[in-house]
Amino acid sequence: MVELLLVVGVLVSMFVAYNIGGSTTGPAFGPAVGADAISKSGAAALMGVFFFIGAWTIGRNVVTKLGTELVVDPAVFTLEASITVLFFIGIALLVGNVFGVPASTSMTAVGAIAGLGLAGGVLDLAVMGEILVWWIVSPIIGFWVSLIIGRYFYARLNRAVAMERSTGPLLEVDRSGVVPIPRVHPTTNRRELIGTITVVAIGCLMAFSSGTSNIANAVAPLVGSGELAMNPAIIFGGVAVAIGAFTIARRTLETMGSDITELPLTAAIVVAGVSSTLVVFLSALGIPASFVVIATMSIVGLGWGRATRPVTVSEVVGDQQTPPVTVDALAGDEPGEELPPIGEEPTESAPSGGDLFKPATTARVVLMQNIVPAIATVGAYLTFRFLPVFGF
């Protein structure tokens, strides 16, 4: 019976990891995919590799801590309870992935474990309070930093970087020799190459950070129960994450890369840089990093900042000789595209800054990222509290 339960537990754990791959690939590589710096398949491959590296190296420490610090009595993680916790984590994440919204794995997992702790009266409220404070503060920081950059510095940053996409592919494969060798395409400019490498590298850093923290969300209950060793758990989790990245993550890549706001390469670097910096900072403090929410709010902040960039005083009160406001003045894009006067509808040749920020999609993302952890928390609490099989 124990062996059968363990098999069920491993399958449920892999189901959770599968959904982690679906929900975290978007925030890590959505900006790069949205900027056409990498394909969805390439993003999935890099996600699988760097997630596993992070999980295998630093992640094992987080696996140990998650099962001992959030609850004052780790004995609560029986095999049956661990499977139930993992089930609610997986179902909640699946809901977010079905709607194409990358839910926070850390918030969902901590919510499910908190539901178990509340039902059993073993939740450490001090630790939970510290986590909640950082979960509130960190997305606000990401939002405002990105908004300020988008509103006041993005235009100059974009002109300085000037990483516009060339007409041809970034790389080409030289098949003249025995071994095919990738080479930079002749049409690729140097800044485009550097920018592409940068945004992909930051995505790899975020994937690594995800592995260091999110592997615990999939396997910590089982490892904490003592029924599954650390190394096999990480291997099972890493494989499932890679499968999720190649399959269900495609919708979240679209949401994070293009549905919330249009992301040229410069914007992708800003979002990834702000998000990854905050994630590393939280990880250094030992806080389960909700980098999905941080990345989402960074994208929202940058899009809002770019869409609401103020014009200068001379543009507002100037005479008839004042030049028209252009897209590069509003959002830092290509110079020379005139915008319509304030209050007029945009035309095909004069896009609106509001096109850079999509409130409807943003509202859907924010709503789902609050609903998904709530599903896991309430579901776990009610189950452990009122089902007599758990004895709470």
Side-chain angles (χ1 to χ4, degrees):
M1 181 63 180
V2 174
E3 289 77 8
L4 178 60
L5 278 177
L6 181 58
V7 171
V8 173
V10 171
L11 291 177
V12 175
S13 175
M14 293 186 70
F15 175 67
V16 173
Y18 170 80
N19 282 284
I20 289 175
S23 63
T24 58
T25 303
F29 290 99
V33 171
D36 292 327
I38 190 174
S39 67
K40 292 179 181 178
S41 297
L46 291 176
M47 181 69 195
V49 170
F50 282 92
F51 183 97
F52 182 79
I53 294 174
W56 189 264
T57 54
I58 302 174
R60 59 184 64 242
N61 299 326
V62 184
V63 171
T64 302
K65 291 183 179 180
L66 189 60
T68 60
E69 294 186 1
L70 192 57
V71 292
V72 296
D73 183 12
V76 73
F77 284 115
T78 63
L79 185 55
E80 294 84 356
S82 299
I83 293 174
T84 305
V85 167
L86 289 170
F87 173 78
F88 280 110
I89 296 172
I91 290 297
L93 291 177
L94 180 62
V95 171
N97 287 328
V98 167
F99 281 91
V101 177
S104 169
T105 309
S106 293
M107 292 177 66
T108 304
V110 171
I113 296 174
L116 168 63
L118 283 171
V122 294
L123 179 64
D124 192 323
L125 295 179
V127 174
M128 190 67 201
E130 181 184 7
I131 293 174
L132 288 175
V133 167
W134 278 111
W135 281 355
I136 293 172
V137 171
S138 56
I140 294 174
I141 295 175
F143 173 84
W144 281 105
V145 170
S146 299
L147 185 146
I148 291 172
I149 293 175
R151 185 166 179 146
Y152 298 107
F153 302 103
Y154 185 85
R156 280 175 287 180
L157 178 63
N158 192 53
R159 285 193 293 268
V161 177
M163 292 178 294
E164 300 298 333
R165 297 292 296 172
S166 58
T167 56
L170 185 68
L171 300 174
E172 61 181 2
V173 179
D174 183 1
R175 304 182 185 275
S176 59
V178 178
V179 179
I181 301 175
R183 302 184 186 279
V184 178
H185 194 272
T187 61
T188 302
N189 61 72
R190 180 172 176 270
R191 286 184 171 179
E192 177 190 6
L193 179 62
I194 294 175
T196 300
I197 293 174
T198 300
V199 73
V200 173
I202 293 177
C204 292
L205 173 62
M206 295 184 71
F208 175 86
S209 301
S210 175
T212 62
S213 61
N214 285 329
I215 189 64
N217 302 327
V219 305
L222 279 183
V223 175
S225 69
E227 298 292 342
L228 186 64
M230 179 75 72
N231 289 349
I234 293 176
I235 292 174
F236 287 140
V239 170
V241 165
I243 296 174
F246 274 101
T247 55
I248 200 170
R250 290 183 175 273
R251 289 201 64 186
T252 57
L253 280 169
E254 293 175 358
T255 298
M256 299 300 290
S258 60
D259 284 357
I260 294 179
T261 180
E262 301 297 334
L263 287 179
L265 203 53
T266 307
I269 291 177
V270 171
V271 169
V274 171
S275 303
S276 60
T277 300
L278 282 171
V279 168
V280 171
F281 173 72
L282 288 176
S283 299
L285 296 178
I287 302 297
S290 180
F291 83 94
V292 170
V293 176
I294 295 173
T296 300
M297 296 311 296
S298 294
I299 291 177
V300 172
L302 183 65
W304 195 351
R306 292 176 63 198
T308 59
R309 183 183 184 275
V311 296
T312 63
V313 174
S314 61
E315 291 172 333
V316 175
V317 300
D319 55 24
Q320 298 296 325
Q321 301 301 317
T322 301
V325 183
T326 61
V327 172
D328 65 303
L330 181 66
D333 291 332
E334 283 295 320
E337 296 182 68
E338 293 187 6
L339 292 175
I342 296 175
E344 292 187 10
E345 291 296 322
T347 63
E348 182 177 355
S349 61
S352 167
D355 292 338
L356 302 173
F357 174 67
K358 303 179 181 180
T361 302
T362 299
R364 175 171 62 91
V365 169
V366 173
L367 179 64
M368 288 302 300
Q369 287 184 344
N370 284 276
I371 289 178
V372 169
I375 292 174
T377 305
V378 174
Y381 172 77
L382 294 177
T383 299
F384 289 116
R385 181 67 179 83
F386 295 106
L387 285 185
V389 66
F390 296 107
F392 292 151

